[in-house]
Amino acid sequence: MSLDYLPWARPESFDALPCVRDEHQDLTYAGFAERVEAAAEQFAEHGVGRGSVVAVMLPNRVELLVSLVAAWRLGAAATPVNPVLTAHEADYQITDADAVLVVNAGPGAPDGGRTAIAVDELRRTPTGGPLPAPDTRHEDLALLVYTSGSTGRPKGVMLDHANIDAMTSQMAAAMKLTGDDHCLLVLPLFHVNAICVSFLSTILAGGQLSVLGRFHPERFLATIEELRPTFFSAVPTIYAHLVSLPETVRHDTSSVRFAICGAAPASKELLTAVTDRFGFELIEGYGLTEGTCGTTVNPLGGPHKLGTVGTALPGQRLAIMGPDGELLPVGERGEVVIQGPNVMRGYLNRPEETARTLDGGWLHTGDVGVLDEDGYLRIVDRIKDMIIRGGENLYPKEIETALYEHPAVLEAAVVGAPHEVYGEVPVAYVAPAPGGTLDADELRAHCAGRLTKIKVPVAIHVRDALPKNPVGKIDKPALRALNNAAAAPQAPAPAPATSH
């Protein structure tokens, strides 16, 4: 491992090549390295050094990438902060990470009471001030990426440069990246997917990166036609919006040789619709932040198995584990566990949770899956999402798959709702495709023709759109909260007023 994604590890022959751009600037490899050096000087003047942490709270833009790499230039780590967090949420992350410096939007932006540099004041040209020689090591902490906090306060996932080096090398190999590749980045850069897959894997191969500030379906396709990227990575929600555009919306997407779908389960119907409409190869993958993003992917060029998330990336070991800790044979359902150099160091300052998650030398994902005879993984569901109805285990993903088979369903999510007799029962939330309408009774009949009676949702709620978490996944905790609130005992109605 050589950390070749770092500017100071690249050969001079890369200097004049296009590197990164956003809507306001376009940098070569030499230009990006110069910006990193300038920011590193400025960071050092504010006390950043080996072992420090720099918090970066910015929307998608080149300066976010510059700030991450500038921290690494000094042997420090970076913690990217979702720029839409409230001050309370952002201050928690900044404080928990013990950041010594915050790069943010400027006055009024959260800083956790720490020294802050406004993005517009970020130094662009080196002054020649004293800086130590680059000495980035594999064991250095590189990223503190905070989980979404769906089961409590967000946790800082510690990823070192050995983790990142392994992940970028594995992804670049799996995607067959070369210097001719050009990635269009649309996912948020506070997430490890955008950092490792879109940014660092592309730079490792000597390719170029175009950063979008926000996603709009028609504008996204127009940007593909304009910039001619060769690949991009996105979540199912983005693909659902793209295929829902009117047939009259047409743009040239022939430059795209493949796209990646990850971060949340996608239906077979959606994957097929994307390929049929746009013509590029769509490969579904699977991973988690604790594994530095990716663990499996359907092989580029095939063979693909719809309904699976592909096979393990080279260098990773994937297995299915039973409740007793024994590894299960092909075809049996159990928890997905992972080993490899991409597995996190642990959770920051949470030794007990780290021990549970890394128990027995395996990363315990909390996902239920099945491996077939060819090593392809099918994700059944999240362990914590499983609905136990009268002692029967129901997997929401199976019910969601049935709902997605209805042509008018754009989004679907199934959660457990409290029930006095059965403990839990399945309840569905759905959103229609643009211009479409959904009828709850019709959908229940649709499910009844595909599922056994106990799996048919007892209620189906039609909404204009389903809530999303910051990464773009459907927010099931929010839906569970709706169910729990609906099931909570109601205060007695006040007695009617009487007159005398």
Side-chain angles (χ1 to χ4, degrees), residues 92 197 367 424 471:
Y92 165 78
V197 177
D367 290 312
E424 283 184 303
V471 183

Side-chain angles (χ1 to χ4, degrees), residues 114-194:
R114 314 298 170 103
T115 300
I117 297 175
V119 63
D120 291 337
E121 297 174 2
L122 201 61
R123 189 173 298 166
R124 289 172 170 255
T125 304
T127 64
L131 274 183
D135 184 27
T136 310
R137 305 168 190 173
H138 285 96
E139 65 270 20
D140 287 344
L141 183 64
L143 290 172
L144 277 171
V145 183
Y146 277 71
T147 62
S148 60
S150 59
T151 56
R153 298 303 296 269
K155 302 185 291 289
V157 175
M158 297 187 290
L159 302 175
D160 55 33
H161 281 286
N163 296 141
I164 293 176
D165 198 14
M167 179 52 52
T168 54
S169 299
Q170 292 171 8
M171 291 303 303
M175 298 186 294
K176 303 175 184 177
L177 298 183
T178 71
D180 294 328
D181 277 302
H182 176 185
C183 178
L184 183 60
L185 188 156
V186 64
L187 295 178
L189 273 165
F190 60 82
H191 191 265
V192 71
N193 186 315

